[in-house]
Amino acid sequence: MLAAGLAGTVATSRERSLARYRMFAARDPRVLIGFEPEYDWRFADLLHLMSQRCGVSADSKDTSGQDVIDPDRTLVALDAFADRLATVAATGAPVLLGTGHPHCLLGFYAALAAALSSAGCGVLTPAQGQSVDITTRFGVRTHHLTYVRGVALMREPGARPEASEPGVHTHSPLPVRLALAAAAEAGGPLPALVIGDHGWACGAGQLGIEAIGLADSDDPAPFAAEAEGRLSVAVPLDDTVRSDYYGPLTRYVLNRACLSQ
């Protein structure tokens, strides 16, 4: 993890993290990503939480440089993440996987989808091809929900369904709301567990669906949601390194969950 930059000194800047903690404290929906906090999180509270959950500096006067994620905290969370996979696999319950980081994390989630499917879990694909309008930095854009190797992601209209265009980066909770609404309208089944990141995890957890996910040190919402009991597990790691760097992490999780194929 240290060599790949998944933990230790990561690419996420301290300035960006602190700015996003302040945005969360101000309840900016761009940073809440589907989570509706019950607790009145202040900046100091978030900094303390992120220091506990991720290992970032708890010193508010430390305002520059790169963030640090404690690899021991990552491993503890990965073990809990894998244990939840093992539990759902043992029951054969349906699951839903989705990512807002398809360029980096599609392979990780796809491996989980394949392993869970082999264990007898239904890998759900509701709302395939349906569209949703998502606010981006370029304004509101229509995106289509699609599934690649069992993993939900968003594509812009006209995007080619090729590996070179795996999908768009989004923090929005709208895709998971669309998927869960479609599943409910079709009479189910609903997922027993949602596995993902950003809005996929926080949006599902807010709706009362158990969720686990990965989160970077500049994304306080999953960790605050975990602290409030909305997410079962939030794993701290850099979520924007090269996709192949997640290979050892994938094998670790599958081995721990006894899902290696």
Side-chain angles (χ1 to χ4, degrees):
M1 288 193 297
L2 294 174
L6 291 167
T9 300
V10 294
T12 308
S13 72
R14 177 70 169 176
E15 295 92 333
R16 175 176 170 82
S17 291
L18 295 180
R20 289 176 65 82
Y21 300 167
R22 291 189 173 92
M23 291 170 69
F24 185 97
R27 300 207 169 211
D28 189 319
R30 294 173 296 178
V31 181
L32 295 178
I33 55 178
F35 173 51
E36 299 174 12
E38 295 182 1
Y39 180 71
D40 183 20
W41 292 95
R42 298 169 298 172
F43 171 77
D45 300 324
L46 285 167
L47 186 58
H48 178 69
L49 175 75
M50 297 303 284
S51 175
Q52 285 189 321
R53 299 297 171 99
C54 298
V56 303
S57 172
D59 186 356
S60 62
K61 297 179 181 178
D62 182 3
T63 59
S64 62
Q66 302 307 118
D67 258 344
V68 175
I69 294 176
D70 181 353
D72 289 334
R73 288 173 170 83
T74 302
L75 284 172
V76 168
L78 278 176
D79 287 349
F81 183 99
D83 290 347
R84 294 309 304 142
L85 293 180
T87 299
V88 76
T91 63
V95 295
L96 174 66
L97 299 96
T99 181
H101 266 302
H103 291 81
C104 306
L105 292 171
L106 176 59
F108 172 76
Y109 293 119
L112 301 187
L116 289 168
S117 178
S118 294
C121 295
V123 177
L124 305 180
T125 57
Q128 167 75 42
Q130 293 188 28
S131 62
V132 62
D133 293 334
I134 297 176
T135 300
T136 73
R137 58 179 176 168
F138 306 110
V140 177
R141 297 286 188 270
T142 299
H143 294 74
H144 297 308
L145 176 62
T146 190
Y147 290 84
V148 177
R149 295 157 60 195
V151 182
L153 53 89
M154 303 306 292
R155 282 201 174 108
E156 293 180 341
R160 295 170 297 175
E162 301 172 358
S164 60
E165 291 189 25
V168 299
H169 173 217
T170 179
H171 288 224
S172 175
L174 296 179
V176 74
R177 292 175 186 169
L178 176 68
L180 292 174
E185 289 170 6
L190 292 173
L193 182 68
V194 172
I195 306 159
D197 46 63
H198 295 325
W200 283 96
C202 286
Q206 185 62 38
L207 293 174
I209 304 292
E210 184 181 4
I212 60 176
L214 312 180
D216 211 330
S217 58
D218 63 348
D219 280 327
F223 299 101
E226 182 185 34
E228 289 195 14
R230 292 290 185 179
L231 257 67
S232 292
V233 184
V235 180
L237 50 73
D238 191 319
D239 57 11
T240 56
V241 303
R242 279 176 32 181
S243 59
D244 56 312
Y245 286 178
Y246 296 97
L249 181 141
T250 305
R251 292 191 291 274
Y252 179 87
V253 168
L254 293 178
N255 286 337
R256 167 84 183 193
C258 299
L259 290 171
S260 297
Q261 296 175 321

